[in-house]
Amino acid sequence: MSSNGNPAVPPADAGPDRRRWVALVFICLAQLMIVLDITIVNIALPSAQQDLDISDGDRQWVVTAYTLAFGSLLLLGGRIADYTGRRRSFAIGLAGFALASALGGAAPGFGTLLAARALQGVFAALLAPAALSLLTVNFSRTDERAKAFGIFGAIAAGGGAIGLILGGLLTEYLDWRWCMYVNVAIAGVAALGLPLMPAGERTKERARFDLPGVVVAVLGLLAVVYGCSIAEEDGWDSGTVLGLLSAGVVLLAVFAVVETRVSRPLLPPGVVLSRTRGGAFLAVGLGIIGMFATFLFLTYHMQIVMGYSALKAGCAFLPMTAAVLVGAGGVATRLLPKAPPRALMGPGLLIASGALGWLTVLDAGSSYAGTLLPAMCLLGFGMGLVMPPAMSYATHGVGEAEAGAASATVNTMQQIGGSIGTALLNTVATSATADHLAGRPQSPAVLREGLADGFATGFGWAAAIVCTAGVIILLVMNTPRPAPGAADEMHLPVHAG
């Protein structure tokens, strides 16, 4: 205990410890694998659909099976990491993800590929919170934490674009199956860092899981994500969609009540009720909608409207990835130890909103250099400002026993926010395209105009959502800047402050 009454900084932070920084490389590699696997399959999907004879109605499940399992099981995965030890959970998650990827690459048919994608989601739900909580317990000094989370946040924001590029390369020059096999290699390299990660952090308490909370949370998240997934095909006014969404909201409300009544909650209420952590969760959940909308709409726009190949479309996202690195590594990392988090996240979200607003002028004749490139660079820079502080403050002030739960929550917000946003915005874009085409003579040129008009409408909605998030962060997140040279307060007990 220090003289000011705060817990002393752990011995691991006393003096330089290069092992932690080397371990950071392997942790970030695992996070990259998780993030890029959301988008790498998008580029490979047309080839996989043809090879495995997947119908147009079923092809969405190759993506959705992953997001459903991942998003709905993250909270449980975080709690497992808290009880069993983060390094152990990290190792199990890596091994399981690699095996599931190998199964998907060798899939003889649609059913096997679907099962493999679901298994990837299950093990990603264990791996993602373990990776983030390892960073949380490894880097507790404010200056070191800023650098570590700057790197981690850049990967979280830019990994999707990397997935599009890698997917284009592998699909065009090898085979779509290598979009699955590549995870085996990535996981193998990431596993080399296991000896560098802290051991012995397993809780001494007997593992007691909040089974009612697990069941209600999983069913609630499944209902919401599944309802949003099928809304694209059935429509938002479908009885099935409305029933699923209503059931999901009710179940999540029940989950909130259950968590206040049990002794070992799956998600301790104090983790969410903090303005600091709540603001970080909101920034990730709503901000990521802009990134997902850009990946979805511009991938289709470049390939269908502009006639780009899969590889060329993937490479066209490279400047956005570079802009993310500039925002996260060049600006956010330097300012994170000196500025309050809303001074980075608020402007970052507003810049991202402006970039999405720029894309509302998109039409069939828009050029890459004149419209797409500047908007993508602005979006990447804005989200680069958002993700490092959001990832860092999502676990701010939590005790080690709740680090996994807090880490899982921010990953859940990223995954669920992206899934819901994609379904919502795709429905908006599809409806706008249908309205544009109604009563017009059908031709390839008219179809391209209709698609571009739908994408532009979707970008308008995305801009409004991200702008709202930025305003809320500026008004609500009142966390002060870190004290100069102070250690992070992650070891203090969780409270709803």
Side-chain angles (χ1 to χ4, degrees):
M1 185 74 69
S2 64
S3 59
N4 62 4
N6 288 335
V9 178
D13 272 357
D17 186 356
R18 291 185 178 86
R19 288 170 58 90
R20 290 180 295 119
W21 292 103
V22 177
L24 173 65
V25 174
F26 296 103
I27 293 170
C28 287
L29 190 60
Q31 176 68 14
L32 175 63
M33 179 180 68
I34 294 169
V35 175
L36 67 81
D37 216 66
I38 297 172
T39 56
I40 194 172
V41 173
N42 289 346
I43 292 290
L45 191 53
S47 298
Q49 182 180 358
Q50 183 177 5
D51 190 18
L52 301 181
D53 195 26
I54 303 171
S55 70
D56 288 344
D58 287 339
R59 66 185 176 187
Q60 65 165 323
W61 293 109
V62 178
V63 176
T64 307
Y66 180 76
T67 58
L68 277 172
F70 189 10
S72 61
L73 294 174
L74 268 165
L75 288 174
L76 177 59
R79 263 312 186 207
I80 291 174
D82 286 334
Y83 278 120
T84 65
R86 296 171 189 91
R87 188 171 75 172
R88 182 178 287 102
S89 293
F90 188 86
I92 295 171
L94 274 179
F97 200 97
L99 290 173
S101 299
L103 176 65
F110 174 60
T112 306
L113 179 60
L114 200 64
R117 289 290 286 165
L119 280 174
Q120 281 184 314
V122 170
F123 286 106
L126 185 62
L127 180 58
L132 183 54
S133 58
L134 277 169
L135 257 68
T136 301
V137 299
N138 275 5
F139 298 95
S140 62
R141 289 185 61 87
T142 301
D143 53 347
E144 293 183 337
R145 188 178 176 91
K147 294 176 184 177
F149 277 91
I151 298 169
F152 194 83
I155 289 173
I162 296 173
L164 293 171
I165 298 165
L166 186 59
L169 283 168
L170 294 173
T171 301
E172 189 151 328
Y173 290 110
L174 292 174
D175 184 80
W176 71 266
R177 295 179 184 275
W178 282 96
C179 292
M180 304 291 285
Y181 288 140
V182 70
N183 294 320
V184 179
I186 296 174
V189 176
L192 297 176
L194 285 169
L196 302 172
M197 298 174 193
E201 76 278 15
R202 182 176 181 177
T203 182
K204 296 180 181 179
E205 298 179 8
R206 184 173 63 89
R208 294 194 302 173
F209 293 105
D210 169 23
L211 292 181
V214 170
V215 173
V216 176
V218 169
L219 291 178
L221 290 173
L222 276 171
V224 171
V225 177
Y226 182 50
C228 290
S229 297
I230 65 172
E232 178 183 346
E233 190 171 324
D234 295 359
W236 290 97
D237 57 351
S238 160
T240 303
V241 171
L242 292 175
L244 283 167
L245 294 179
S246 299
V249 170
V250 170
L251 286 168
L252 292 176
V254 171
F255 170 70
V257 173
V258 168
E259 297 307 276
T260 64
R261 305 287 177 86
V262 296
S263 59
R264 292 287 189 275
L266 183 66
L267 177 59
V271 169
V272 180
L273 294 179
S274 161
R275 276 191 175 192
T276 300
R277 292 183 295 275
F281 298 150
L282 179 69
V284 171
L286 296 183
I288 207 68
I289 290 175
M291 295 294 285
F292 273 57
T294 302
F295 293 146
L296 176 69
F297 294 153
L298 291 190
T299 296
Y300 277 96
H301 183 84
M302 285 188 280
Q303 291 190 61
I304 297 177
V305 178
M306 301 176 74
Y308 284 14
S309 68
L311 177 58
K312 187 176 180 180
C315 290
F317 283 96
L318 271 174
M320 186 170 78
T321 304
V324 169
L325 295 176
V326 172
V331 179
T333 299
R334 295 177 182 272
L335 296 181
L336 189 53
K338 305 172 184 177
R342 68 176 173 182
L344 291 170
M345 289 193 285
L349 288 167
L350 294 180
I351 291 171
S353 173
L356 294 165
W358 188 321
L359 290 169
T360 59
V361 304
L362 194 69
D363 59 37
S366 296
S367 69
Y368 176 77
T371 303
L372 275 65
L373 178 60
M376 287 195 295
C377 288
L378 271 178
L379 177 64
F381 180 77
M383 290 306 297
L385 296 180
V386 172
M387 295 306 288
M391 289 293 185
S392 178
Y393 281 90
T395 54
H396 178 82
V398 301
E400 285 198 32
E402 281 80 29
S407 303
T409 303
V410 69
N411 278 288
T412 299
M413 292 299 294
Q414 183 176 359
Q415 189 62 31
I416 300 301
S419 298
I420 293 174
T422 298
L424 169 64
L425 296 176
N426 195 58
T427 300
V428 168
T430 302
S431 299
T433 295
D435 291 342
H436 183 93
L437 297 177
R440 296 173 184 257
Q442 299 302 300
S443 69
V446 172
L447 177 59
R448 288 194 293 270
E449 291 172 0
L451 288 171
D453 183 67
F455 297 151
T457 303
F459 279 123
W461 279 65
I465 293 170
V466 176
C467 181
T468 300
V471 172
I472 292 174
I473 291 297
L474 289 173
L475 294 177
V476 173
M477 196 173 183
N478 59 351
T479 311
R481 68 178 184 177
D488 184 80
E489 298 177 352
M490 58 161 285
H491 299 285
L492 296 178
V494 176
H495 57 82

